[in-house]
Structures are given as structure tokens and as C-alpha cells.
Amino acid sequence: TPSFENLLVESRGPVGLITLNRPKALNALNDALIDELVVALGAFDADEAIRCIVLTGSEKAFAAGADISMMANFSYMDVFKSNFIARNWSGITAIRKPIIAAVAGFALGGGCELAMICDFIIAADNARFGQPEVKLGILPGAGGTQRLPRAVSKAKAMDLCLTGRMMDAAEAERAGLVSRVVPLDRLLEEAIEAATVIAGYSLPIVMMIKESVNRAYETPLAEGLIFERRVFHSTFGTEDQKEGMAAFLQKRAPEFKHR
Ligand code: CO8
């Protein structure tokens, strides 16, 4: 396994666990961290023993955004030429196995955007989400103005992006940004339990579900429904469909072959 400067990487059975680890800067994001994250995610994606991934930060911060000390003196040419932010983020969306974000503390700016790029978010009760870029004289640059309105509503997204205020875990759950809120001391356990449930299913089926739900964001409904039906039909060509249904009828637990 490669060693990382900004991440801790370990496996918990079939679950790959990645912890953002720049504690001095509240896990502020820089290109080096995202580069490492793409490598670590790619390694889990390629590892047959891993079937689901959990991405987390510290108790105080999932990530407090892009590193402001790094950005402060950037010029337009600096950010244009280096394709600042977007350069390496597409490596995250290329991952085919599910990624659960387990968010405690601050998820601000790029940190909120990173959580939203994951497949779903489980939040600790101390989590706080926001897009405070407006306060710095910039706007969100890694999907905040695009993924947030799709995840919540135009009203909530405008409110957060324009005022720069933070929303707490309860508000984030009401708004639909997070799938569940759990006590801080249960966060990692709960995320790993959810990932372990997912890891118990057929991996190709799980990847088809991820791919199909993601189509909902990228295609009109009619196209998405056609995509879903094609993939749905294809599941009947898998051994795992035979096994899943046989196990149900025989009142036993399924033993999926493709995991
Ligand atoms: N960048 C660099 N350093 C940071 C950042 C950051 N985003 N956030 C916190 N830190 C540092 C602080 O400077 C401080 O360092 P030091 O101890 O050396 O003074 C340390 O972390 C602890 O922070 P605080 O003392 O401020 O802790 P508090 O508990 O008082 O406050 C807050 C916590 C509210 C999170 C506060 O630190 C804060 O407001 N941080 C900035 C949040 C912010 O504006 N984030 C958005 C950044 S812009 C952005 O993300 C652009 C998005 C584009 C995507 C790019 C992804 C690569």
C-alpha cells in the first residue's frame, strides 16, 4: 500500500476506510490531498476484497474547505492554467464502488462539495454544512452551486451560497442533504455498518444501482427511465439474480457469487 501525507487508509473487512488527515488546518483541501484521495479511492476500486468505501474526517472537521493560505495570492492565470479545483476532482466521480461520506464537524466550501460528491452523507449531530465562499470574495468552484440545488432546493441552496451561513445536521437532514444523523460517538460505527450491509450484496448489482441513480442527475426523466430499464433487464443475465431470488423462495440468506 502506498503511504499518504494527508490521508489515513485502512480496511475494515470488505469496507475501505479513508480518513482525511490534515488536523492542523481542519483538513483544508489542496491539490496534493485530492491527488492522494483519487489514488486511495482508485486502489480500493481496483481491490477485489473491498466492496464499499467510507470517507471521513476528524470529529472537529470533515474538511473546512480549500486551503485559504494557498489560494490567497493566486492570480487568474495561476488558477486558469492549473485548472484549479476541477483538475483532479473528476477522479472521484470515476469511482464505481459506493462511497459514503461520514461527516462530523465542519464541512465548508470545498469540504461540503467533497461530501456531496460522495454517494450519500451520514452526519454526526455536530456536523455543520456551508458554502462560505461569498465571504472570501469568490464562489463555490467544485460543484457547490450545482450539486447543492439538486440535493436540497433552489431556495436552500441560494440561502446558503448567498449568505454564507452554516446549517446544522438537523437542518441538513430536513433539507435532504444527508441521509441520516447519528450521535457523534456513533458516526464511524454507523457508516461502517451501512457500508458492510452494502458490501454483503452483489457488487456488480450495487455498481449498477450507483450508476443508475447518478443518471437521475444527468439525463431527462424519459432517458433515465430507459437507462434504468436496460440495466434492470440485464440483471436477469446475472447469477446473483438467480441466487437472490432462489434464496428468498427457499427462506435462506443469499450467497452472492459476485462480491
Ligand atoms: N484554509 C486554510 N486554513 C484553515 C481553513 C481553510 N479553509 N479553515 C481553517 N483553517 C485553519 C485556521 O486558519 C486555523 O489555523 P491556525 O491555528 O494556524 O490559526 C486552524 O485551521 C483552526 O481554525 P480556527 O482557529 O478558525 O477554528 P474555529 O473553530 O475558530 O473556526 C471555522 C472554525 C469556522 C471552520 C473557521 O476556521 C473558518 O471559517 N474557516 C474557513 C472556512 C471557509 O471559508 N471555507 C471555504 C474556503 S473556500 C473554498 O473552499 C473554495 C472551494 C473551492 C473548492 C476547492 C477544493 C480544493
Side-chain angles (χ1 to χ4, degrees):
T1 24
S3 72
F4 299 104
E5 274 179 31
N6 303 293
L7 307 175
L8 302 172
V9 176
E10 61 193 285
S11 54
R12 302 274 182 96
V15 178
L17 175 62
I18 301 176
T19 306
L20 305 175
N21 187 36
R22 286 191 76 205
K24 271 179 253 149
L26 297 180
N27 291 331
L29 305 171
N30 55 27
D31 279 338
L33 184 149
I34 300 291
D35 281 344
E36 290 188 358
L37 182 59
V38 170
V39 170
L41 288 169
F44 279 147
D45 216 26
D47 183 344
E48 292 204 341
I50 298 296
R51 296 192 291 279
C52 193
I53 301 164
V54 172
L55 177 63
T56 196
S58 71
E59 292 196 349
K60 191 165 181 218
F62 179 71
D67 192 322
I68 299 170
S69 57
M70 166 189 73
M71 291 186 291
N73 292 317
F74 279 174
S75 69
Y76 175 64
M77 275 302 108
D78 290 335
V79 295
F80 182 84
K81 284 205 259 176
S82 69
N83 197 10
F84 176 53
I85 296 164
R87 178 175 73 81
N88 45 11
W89 283 58
S90 56
I92 305 171
T93 48
I95 300 303
R96 297 174 76 207
K97 293 174 184 171
I99 308 171
I100 302 173
V103 175
F106 299 110
L108 300 176
C112 186
E113 292 168 315
L114 180 59
M116 288 193 290
I117 234 175
C118 296
D119 296 307
F120 64 98
I121 303 173
I122 299 179
D125 49 15
N126 76 336
R128 305 189 72 187
F129 298 87
Q131 298 290 162
E133 286 87 345
V134 66
K135 296 181 182 178
L136 299 167
I138 56 171
L139 72 153
T145 67
Q146 303 302 304
R147 287 199 178 89
L148 196 56
R150 283 169 166 82
V152 294
S153 62
K154 179 188 167 193
K156 191 73 82 179
M158 283 286 191
D159 179 354
L160 290 167
C161 291
L162 290 173
T163 68
R165 77 175 174 89
M166 293 186 219
M167 71 176 167
D168 65 16
E171 185 180 356
E173 188 182 29
R174 280 199 306 279
L177 180 63
V178 310
S179 68
R180 346 175 172 174
V181 178
V182 300
L184 175 58
D185 62 6
R186 285 264 315 143
L187 176 67
L188 202 55
E189 238 178 300
E190 186 97 3
I192 287 173
E193 275 172 28
T196 305
V197 167
I198 294 166
Y201 299 128
S202 166
L203 177 60
I205 298 295
V206 161
M207 294 195 303
M208 287 177 198
I209 293 170
K210 168 169 171 160
E211 194 177 24
S212 197
V213 172
N214 279 332
R215 299 311 293 167
Y217 288 96
E218 306 195 355
T219 48
L221 179 61
E223 292 300 317
L225 289 170
I226 290 170
F227 180 87
E228 181 193 71
R229 198 165 328 127
R230 289 285 172 273
V231 179
F232 172 71
H233 289 161
S234 78
T235 63
F236 288 83
T238 66
E239 291 152 298
D240 285 339
Q241 174 268 331
K242 299 287 171 297
E243 170 60 12
M245 293 192 182
F248 177 84
L249 294 174
Q250 293 159 14
K251 302 188 189 307
R252 60 172 175 83
E255 283 178 41
F256 292 116
K257 183 166 178 194
H258 296 283
R259 300 203 310 175

